[in-house]
Amino acid sequence: MSDPTTFPPSPSEAVVSESKELHNTVNEAIKSTSETPVHVFDPDMPPEKKAALASSKQPSSAAVPALKPLATDIGTADTEKVAEAVSSKPPPTPPTHAPANPAPPGAYVDGPLKGLPLWYRVGWTGQSSLPNPGDEKAMAEFSKTHTAEEIQQFFKDRFSHPSSIDEDLLTQFIQQKYYGEWFHNCGVVFVAILFTWLLTKLRLGLMSCLIVGAFFATYYRTSIKRTRRNVRDDMQRQMSLNKLENDVETVNWINHFLDRFWLIFEPSLSAQIIGQVDAILSENTPSFLDSIRMSTFTLGTKAPRVDGIKVYPGSAPDVVCMDWQFSFIPNDVLDLTAREAQAKVNPKIVLTIRVGKGMIGAGMPVLLEDLAFSGRMRIKLKLFSEMPHVKSVELSFLEKPHFDYVLKPIGGETLGFDINNIPGLETFIKDQVHSNLGPMMYAPNVFTLDIPAMMSGANDLETANGVLAVTIYSANSLKPNDFFGSLDPYCTFHVNNTQTAELARTSTIENTSNPKWNETHFVLLNNLNDILCFQIMDYNNGRNDAEIGVANLDLRDVNETEEKALEGLNLVVLRSGRPVGEVKADVRYFPVAKPEKKEDGTVIPAVESNSGIMRFSVLDAKDLLSSGSSASSGSRRTGLPLVGSLPLVSSVPLIGSGGGAGINAYAIFKVNGQEKLRTAPFKRSQSPRWNKFIEIFVADKANVQLDVILMNSVDFGDDTVLACWTSSLTDMERQLTVDKNDWWQLKGTVGGGKIHLNMTWKNVPLTGFSAGLLTRGSYRRPIGVVRVKLNGAKNLKNVELLMGGKSDPYVRIMSGLQSRAQTEAVLDDLNPVWDTALYVPVHAMREDLVLEVMDYNDIQNDKFLGMCELLMKDLIIKKKLEDGTSYYEALPAVKRNVELMNKERRTGRGQLNYEACFYPTLALAKQQDEETLDAEKKEDTTEEAPVVPEQPEKDLHDESIPYTEDNKINLLAYNSGVLSVKIHEVRLPAKEKAVAEILLDANDAQFRTTPLKGTQLQFNECGDAFVKEIDFSRLMIRVRNARDDYKDEDHIGFWASPVRNIIKSIQDRMTTLDGEGEADVIEEYRLLNTSTGSLKVSFKYIPVVQFQLDPTESLENQGQLTVSLITASGLRAADKSGTSDPYVVFSLDRQKVFKSQTYKKQLTPVFSKSETFTVPVLRRSKAVLDCKIYDWDQIGSNELLAEGPISIAELPSFETVTVECPLRGGKIQLRMKWEPQLLARKREGTSLLSSTTRMLTGTGLAGDVVGMGVGAGGKMLSGGTRVVGGAIGGGTKIVGGVVGGVVGGGTKMVGGGLGAIGRGIGKLGGHSRMSSSSSAKGLPPTRSSPDESASTLSANSSVRSPQASTPVIQDDNTPLTESNMGSKISVSTLSIGQRKSIFDDREKNVTIKVTLIEARNLKGMNRDKTSDPYCRVRLGKHSIYKTKHIKKNCNPQWNETFTTKVFGTSVLEFMIRDHNTLTDSDIGEASFTVVDNVDEDKPFDDWLPLSPSGTGEVHVHVEVMNA
């Protein structure tokens, strides 16, 4: 047996060599797998040498390469580079030897454990039907069937009667008053009698009876004891409840506990307070002071006292409500013994304020003592069923608390003067305290504490729980806030309001009101319950930046989405409640990864990621002695205290005094060389305390370098470096988690100083960020179309009350700042009825629409009347397939009558009635990409045929898909869809500030670009509009001056085309199944109405499915109706001669539109060829055309011969038909023609009948026939065809025959389908007066594919009429054929016999002279059958002239003359009224359309019949004064 005290024999050299090789192999393996330097030492080396060797291998601060300053650690805010950087970095592999990271502040807590199986009956709730008061859902359901008083009584009775509401079989048959303990006692008596009878019957002895009696006696004795105990308990409980409700409890046991506990707890509390407050005072020292330090802090030895508690037992079952009366009066010694009073320490706070700089300064103590405080506070605890079982605590002072203090700023404790002795100062200070605390926690205001959030750290508002990736693309139409300098916008991001800290900032784009940033910024957020503010600023050099406006985004909307993302945002920038621009952005939220707990109890750790949130804390430092400060500090330690640096104040040592009196340290924290945090100097201390932290988003955890530099703030010189610290993020994390050490050695200090740092890391996986989920600001494919049927409004605000009129309301649909559609204005009506359906394409679920009711004004800007919001989530639902493909379905249509709001969201602006529904666009499932198809082709080598994607028979909406012969989707088979128009470039002949507008079957622009200035305007903007009918719809792109009012229809140039031609061109160039993903095919067209202007555009078409157009909304439902009178028959004789003097009156919707001549002494009149009129019809299906035939009488009223409606709903389009219409009293033969066209609004007056827009649906291009004059008006060249209410088609030029060349002559209309696009669509030809040579040079369309020239939509394309056209001779004797029509479109045809009217130019006003001569056969309004008539003349809504009144005369003569300026579309209204002392009464009125009756050499002098019929006639003379 060997001696245990001896060592074993030494190993051989072979064993030693083998051991070294094994160690080297292990070391190399560790080096290859470790991400940080690995130090290898000789095992026999002493610890000192190991430490020295490790220190020598540490990189010095000078050796660390300075990295480029970064906006983030990625190095750029550019969207594409950020996405590329994030996607290229895989998450790091966590070290195997490191334990799991501790839960950082603000980390999510684990969810509650899964409950026991349901078959367990746990707790009192398992034995009762009453719910748990802490279960909010159960209590909510219980409260639906019971009142609050019943619930309170149930839980009150629960304590004395555990089964008060639990019904059993007995309670179902016995009433409550017969049910109780006595029932059981009676039962026992009957049972005892029964047993006695049985024992007697069985002839048993007395002993058996005694045994039975003993049992029942024992039961009785036990029952009586229980009854007495229950009665005593009930009495005590009731007495305690009465005492709780009426008395205040004196909780002396709590005061006894506080007296003992305060002596132990107060020193720790004071230490924590002084540590936190001292750092705050040091940081917030005013500039005129050198330092503020808290040298003394104690709350004394006397504890606070609870004077009484009052409890309210009548509160809800889950609420505990108490009133606490408490006080803290440490100077009260009445309840203390003499010895306790002598040993008592009073509260005392001493601040040392140092005035001056450096050595020139002095310290002054400020003493605060004799503190006293008392108050009465209501504390309400809300309970719930989960830990910690207290959901919230509400604190509220029931009355103003009382407090007192002594403040001695000068003289200290002995010679100090209490400033409260200054008159008025004490009251002022107390009022300030109450004014600050009042809104926070004075009743009825409450201060709420969220206990679960406090315990989990989630209530820390300074802790980030996620990252919001904000991609800001651009801003449009920004309006500057001042008039100095250029507009140089940039954007800053804030939470809740712009007064909070700036979270991020974009770059500055100089000299533009439409900046394009295309930047991505990461904003740290605590939660998604706040508001994200986009503050647009204007950079100014040499003065403060000016705010342009703020756009707000409610982050709760982000939280509601499944992807936690909002794309395609168009945020309105507001300034003082008014829109001043628009911001386009995308946002997506990435939460902090948290552990997941499964049902079996296992915990899945949080997902590791390379990106996350780093919370870096600079806490404090110690032993900071620079090389130049050691000698001086040593001398100060042994010397007497100086006046300027008192080491002792009131016998309490000053914090940081001693050797660090000359050190004013502050810290600078840098990430990759970029400064992120700078603390305030901590004055005169070698152990400074900062307690500062910052949170930074890190996209690449492995490449982050951290630096902390400690600087000494020098008052009269440059700051010097005290020490520095540097480390990588991974090294710091390893030391904190593995070594459990948060103190680091500093470099550059004499005494080996250390710094206290901390860092926590939260993983934030940026899943999907680089997968293209953000739209990068480009045009998004529409998901569908929203149809809004605007029925009417009621009780609108009258904004023209002071002008003596009423509002002229219309509704416009806003998407951001873009007006996408609008109704016509209803004049002078506060309860308008529009009955109009508008269609707006939408591109995302978040593209909510705003319905704004506006008041139309001719000259001023339209006034705001009210608005309401239409949320897309009420109309659309998003669905997903298994492969992730998203598509959108329609929810049921909504019909609402909503209250209108002002811009401050306050109601009281009237009510709007509308209907809304959604129609989706064509949606296809995801197709395999080319790489997948190529892979399949390589795998299947047996087949040589190319692999083509499968053609789906139906789309995701289960709608059949039509295909062409070449296996493409047949776009022409869809009657409706969304036409996307991208305007790339506009070239103008002269430098202009212009905008481009898109109009599709509308009088108003449905999309408007941002304004640009120059001759070559690079818009590169995309808009879209809804195509209702592909066969009738026409597109127009109009370029206008940006400075003009949008109601002014002047323009620089335009281009137009039928939509079918555009879609056919798209169909022909498609190379894929549906054309998605193809590059834009840019086409160039001549810009009409300009000499050398051109336009570059590209198109896309997306069909709309599940849509059926209402016939009443068809473009075929409005247009021009031309009526020619042929003959009438079957009329009765109204005169004594056996004949009549018939004339015909036509009315459209009860408004007279035409009156024929009188044909005397005829019963079957044959009307002349001149009896033809044309009238615009807005809704043919609802229009009522009435025909009335009267017998004219020279004396007396005219007699009605026949009347009846004329049916026009079934008339064929573009065909002339002869019909015989039966009337009541005869019949009439008419020749009618219906021409569908888009009618323009009338900008003045009260009717649509005086201004229309010619927009026929022929096959030719609109651009080739527009420009032939506007407002030709008067008589058309169709054999005397009469234009009712002004110019038809805005001045359509027709050579010979009737309209369209069908009625009476056979010649054809030049231009075929489109006569002119006039006033309503921008008065397209209104100023086209250029010569033929100036417009002969057209630009042929250019394409990326040369083989598409045959189907190019060119402005020089030929224009075909419905029938073969014959050449028309021009002024230069050159036939105007299809080959040269494009170059001759601007040549006026007035030289072919048509006299030019002075009213051709509709924008020109003309002075006319009106003479009111006389009236006759007026209706008598007085008792004596006479009247006191006068005539009032109105133009539009304005009264322009009034004659004198003639007493007692039904045939007055005025002979009064006046002049006024009118347009061709103006309508004069002559109102004859009877003058009375109090209120004038109406006799009759007559309307006079200027363009129909007057021209430059054609005066009007005739009688006008008054309406209503039989009230008389008025004789007027009207002539034009100037040309």
Side-chain angles (χ1 to χ4, degrees), residues 143 179 483 514 627 636 730 855 887 942 1063 1076 1154 1506:
S143 62
Y179 182 76
F483 301 97
N514 302 285
S627 59
R636 286 196 177 187
T730 53
D855 171 52
Y887 66 100
T942 58
I1063 299 176
E1076 284 295 319
F1154 178 76
L1506 298 181

Side-chain angles (χ1 to χ4, degrees), residues 1172-1188:
T1172 300
F1173 67 94
T1174 302
V1175 60
V1177 181
L1178 186 61
R1179 292 182 179 90
R1180 179 171 63 152
S1181 59
K1182 297 182 179 181
V1184 178
L1185 181 65
D1186 289 323
C1187 175
K1188 293 183 179 181

